[in-house]
Amino acid sequence: MRLRVTIVDDDAPYRAAIAELLSLEPTMDLAGSHGSPAELMAETRVGDAPPWDVVLMDIEMPGADGIEAAAAVKARYPQVTVVMLTAFEEPERILRAIAAGADGYLVKRADAREVLEEIRAVAAGGSPLTPSVARSVLAAIRAGASGVPSGGAARHDLSDREAEVLRALVAGQGYKEIAYDLHISVDTVRSHIRKVYRKLQVHSAPAAVARALRDRIV
């Protein structure tokens, strides 16, 4: 099944570049190109099936807040994958975006291969943060908690292995990478992640990452 991808960005040349990239990718279709969130939402009515599978959403546009727009998209269509686009790795905005329900976060300087890989990974339920973005967020979290032990894993009754798996998710690793690094099977990774979700009272990787960062579990 081909992924229907739409982009919301006030930068017309960037939208055109993404459109050209998607035209060359056999597993994806350009489902729309919009200069503002209002244009995107005007395509649908409440109750309609979504005309896209993935929304690439610029985080900052004149007269529009991409994070608020992402929350609106997720409220109307929880099943749609929303990937935030930004020119800068800003930890505070990344956390706001995750809290708003964003499924991923992509820096605009990423090359074509990275863009396509991120879209595929996040649409498949993979990690919500690219490694470079994850490092920025973790650095900010740790700087803010300098010298203060988190105690987060204990508060949520996570086992040592569950905490390891959660930290790997936050660091941007996929299930196969986690399995390789921890010398366990992918099925075992899935089992640990299900337990993490239950203990954190969440239902998705983005929500688990957001809780981990908010509660300083990592």
Side-chain angles (χ1 to χ4, degrees):
M1 178 179 172
R2 295 166 70 93
L3 282 175
R4 300 168 299 166
V5 182
T6 190
I7 179 169
V8 184
D9 195 312
D10 64 300
D11 184 341
Y14 185 78
R15 293 203 314 272
I18 292 293
E20 182 177 1
L21 175 63
L22 294 176
S23 72
L24 301 173
E25 173 51 48
T27 64
M28 300 179 193
D29 288 319
L30 179 66
S33 177
H34 309 281
S36 71
E39 290 181 18
L40 175 78
M41 300 307 283
E43 276 194 346
T44 68
R45 294 177 300 179
V46 176
D48 289 347
W52 358 268
D53 302 303
V54 178
V55 175
L56 303 179
M57 179 75 73
D58 188 13
I59 202 167
E60 185 173 357
M61 293 167 276
D65 184 329
I67 295 175
E68 291 180 0
V73 171
K74 295 298 286 189
R76 185 175 295 187
Y77 300 119
Q79 72 272 42
V80 168
T81 296
V82 178
V83 178
M84 307 305 298
L85 301 171
T86 184
F88 306 102
E89 297 173 13
E90 302 165 294
E92 295 80 8
R93 290 193 179 187
I94 295 171
L95 293 175
R96 275 188 60 216
I98 293 172
D103 300 287
Y105 204 98
L106 184 63
V107 178
K108 286 186 175 182
R109 68 171 179 270
D111 62 29
R113 177 186 57 81
E114 290 174 314
V115 171
L116 294 175
E117 286 181 355
E118 175 71 359
I119 293 172
R120 290 193 200 96
V122 179
S127 173
L129 300 177
T130 57
S132 65
V133 171
R135 283 193 294 272
S136 295
V137 174
L138 291 175
I141 292 291
R142 286 167 180 158
S146 179
V148 180
S150 71
R155 284 201 306 275
H156 291 284
D157 296 321
L158 298 181
S159 69
D160 290 343
R161 183 49 63 108
E162 289 162 3
E164 281 185 304
V165 170
L166 179 57
R167 280 193 291 271
L169 275 182
V170 173
Q173 290 186 291
Y175 288 14
K176 290 183 179 179
E177 291 176 288
I178 297 172
Y180 179 82
D181 285 350
L182 298 182
H183 308 291
I184 56 179
S185 70
V186 174
D187 283 342
T188 300
V189 171
R190 291 194 180 99
S191 176
H192 286 311
I193 288 175
R194 284 194 296 270
K195 292 174 183 176
V196 169
Y197 287 179
R198 185 178 70 251
K199 291 179 180 180
L200 299 187
Q201 298 182 327
V202 299
H203 304 286
S204 67
V209 170
R211 178 64 60 83
L213 296 174
R214 188 192 72 189
D215 292 356
R216 301 189 188 281
I217 297 172
V218 292

